Amino acid sequence: MFFYVMTRIISSEHPDAICEAASVLLRGGLVGLPTETVYGLAANALDGKAVARIFAAKGRPHFNPLIIHCHTLEQISNYVQLNDDAINLSEAFWPGPMTLILPRKKDCKVSELASAGLSSLAVRIPRHPIAMAVLRQADVPLAAPSANSSGTISPTSASHVVQSLGNSVDLVLASGSCKVGLESTVLDLTADKPVILRPGVLTADDFLGVLKISPAYEIDQNATMKSPGLLLKHYAPTIPIRLNAIDLDKGEALLGFGSLKFMGVRGGGFASDLPEESICNLSETGDLYEAAANLFSMMRALDNSSHKGIAVMSIPDKGVGIAINDRLRRAARG
Ligand code: TXA
Ligand code: MG
């Protein structure tokens, strides 16, 4: 089998982009492709060897299962047992940034490696037109984790994918920055009560409109047992992250939120005196959706050895802020 020696990046607007991506996937290759949340590293989920290449490219532990992306609910119904909650949620939120954990069907043809041997499977229909076009063209389910090496910050642009995974990807479809910027909300429907294993821009309040009971968040608690990926070091920048900062230490970069007017530097001075490359503001107006979309690219921008760390201002722990704080806590722990 032939694979490209060097990663090729092509604009998703190129007339051959979608066909080329589908053909690489059907030959067992890896494609970096945009979704509305983050860029994914896609492989044919029915092809065990191709799925194994995802784990190798990311350096991902084999016990950490992947999300299976499809283009219709009908396609999904080949692989998992749907219940009423799943059907109602799919009508409300798919295509979109929601992943459902459902029981794997007995005759499910998705590679066992993709779901790490579990009896459940994570499924999602993405909203990005390019991801959808590739899914339709290839017409196989695509296993796609975030397209970064395991444990590092998720990619929200094609250049992040290349920086993180280099030549281990056969083709990257470039299509600007991801609008949502945080990975999908992972909602487990396999137990008696629905549980959010990974918070995202869709929140418990959003799901409450469809489910009869509000799903519980299991962040940092038993979720580690149910969602193996959450056990791991994640989103780790190369320099320390300090949360809920009310002032700056000398040498630190600032990741702000809202007004920076009152941010001082210990020993004298204001944050606004820092050089431009040492300050990013997630959202000057305090908009949590804007902050979510900026989070990963701004963490990357400040993550360099000219700073001794990144001080992050506090973000309200409400709505989308829950997901932002979840990612920040993991980054700080890393
Ligand atoms: O937005 C997203 O979800 C992106 C885009 C590319 O779709 N994908 C993504 O995949 O974030 P990944 O592999 O980086 O994260 C998947 C998460 C992991 O925490 C994994 O442990 C969990 O979903 N997961 C996958 N299958 C599971 C299962 N059967 N049961 C519990 N958790 C599961
Ligand atoms: Mg990931």
Side-chain angles (χ1 to χ4, degrees):
M1 190 172 299
F2 170 77
F3 290 114
Y4 302 102
V5 192
M6 278 205 6
T7 304
R8 289 186 315 143
I9 309 177
I10 55 174
S11 161
S12 61
E13 279 160 31
H14 189 286
D16 298 334
I18 304 301
C19 284
E20 183 57 21
S23 124
V24 169
L25 289 163
L26 293 173
R27 279 184 285 148
L30 300 185
V31 174
L33 94 181
T35 84
E36 75 280 23
T37 56
V38 297
Y39 275 69
L41 179 63
N44 178 356
L46 306 178
D47 177 346
K49 270 196 201 157
V51 170
R53 292 188 67 214
I54 291 184
F55 284 89
K58 282 183 59 88
R60 182 171 176 120
H62 284 84
F63 60 79
N64 189 8
L66 308 176
I67 297 173
I68 308 305
H69 299 67
C70 291
H71 59 94
T72 60
L73 188 61
E74 194 194 343
Q75 189 187 25
I76 284 183
S77 71
N78 294 321
Y79 309 115
V80 291
Q81 290 162 31
L82 294 171
N83 54 29
D84 287 348
D85 282 346
I87 291 168
N88 293 337
L89 286 165
S90 78
E91 276 167 12
F93 300 111
W94 276 340
M98 171 183 77
T99 294
L100 296 180
I101 310 290
L102 289 162
R104 234 184 118 106
K105 272 192 160 174
K106 280 217 175 62
D107 58 351
C108 172
K109 298 230 164 38
V110 167
S111 138
E112 298 267 356
L113 178 59
S115 54
L118 297 176
S119 58
S120 60
L121 194 66
V123 288
R124 160 165 128 83
I125 302 180
R127 194 173 56 206
H128 198 290
I130 299 305
M132 276 300 239
V134 173
L135 281 163
R136 274 193 218 103
Q137 182 73 29
D139 203 24
V140 290
L142 296 179
S146 51
N148 54 296
S149 63
S150 190
T152 65
I153 301 169
S154 290
T156 53
S157 77
S159 63
H160 297 162
V161 177
V162 177
Q163 277 163 29
S164 192
L165 295 177
N167 291 342
S168 42
V169 194
D170 300 302
L171 179 69
V172 179
L173 293 190
S175 179
S177 298
C178 301
K179 288 218 168 70
V180 172
L182 289 183
E183 305 87 343
S184 58
T185 307
V186 177
L187 180 60
D188 184 2
L189 295 181
T190 61
D192 296 343
K193 289 184 188 157
V195 178
I196 293 176
L197 300 180
R198 179 175 72 182
V201 294
L202 290 175
T203 65
D205 285 347
D206 294 318
F207 297 134
L208 182 58
V210 176
L211 300 168
K212 282 162 224 94
I213 46 169
S214 177
Y217 284 100
E218 283 222 354
I219 308 164
D220 280 357
Q221 295 160 33
N222 300 329
T224 46
M225 300 316 294
K226 287 190 191 143
S227 202
L230 301 181
L231 192 78
L232 305 166
K233 177 180 93 141
H234 254 94
Y235 312 106
T238 58
I239 57 176
I241 295 257
R242 188 165 65 83
L243 303 182
N244 301 317
I246 49 166
D247 56 10
L248 271 180
D249 211 357
K250 283 228 158 58
E252 277 183 330
L254 174 65
L255 186 57
F257 179 77
S259 168
L260 309 185
K261 223 167 44 192
F262 299 109
M263 276 308 270
V265 181
R266 287 176 204 160
F270 288 98
S272 47
D273 302 333
L274 289 180
E276 215 172 83
E277 58 275 15
S278 300
I279 303 191
C280 287
N281 197 339
L282 290 166
S283 170
E284 279 173 31
T285 59
D287 177 336
L288 289 169
Y289 287 92
E290 185 185 9
N294 284 331
L295 180 67
F296 292 151
S297 61
M298 288 186 173
M299 267 166 63
R300 276 172 191 270
L302 297 176
D303 180 16
N304 62 64
S305 55
S306 67
H307 303 131
K308 73 171 194 191
I310 303 173
V312 188
M313 285 168 69
S314 98
I315 316 271
D317 211 30
K318 275 188 265 166
V320 182
I322 295 174
I324 297 174
N325 284 321
D326 167 71
R327 304 309 190 274
L328 283 170
R329 272 197 300 275
R330 289 173 200 285
R333 208 195 291 156

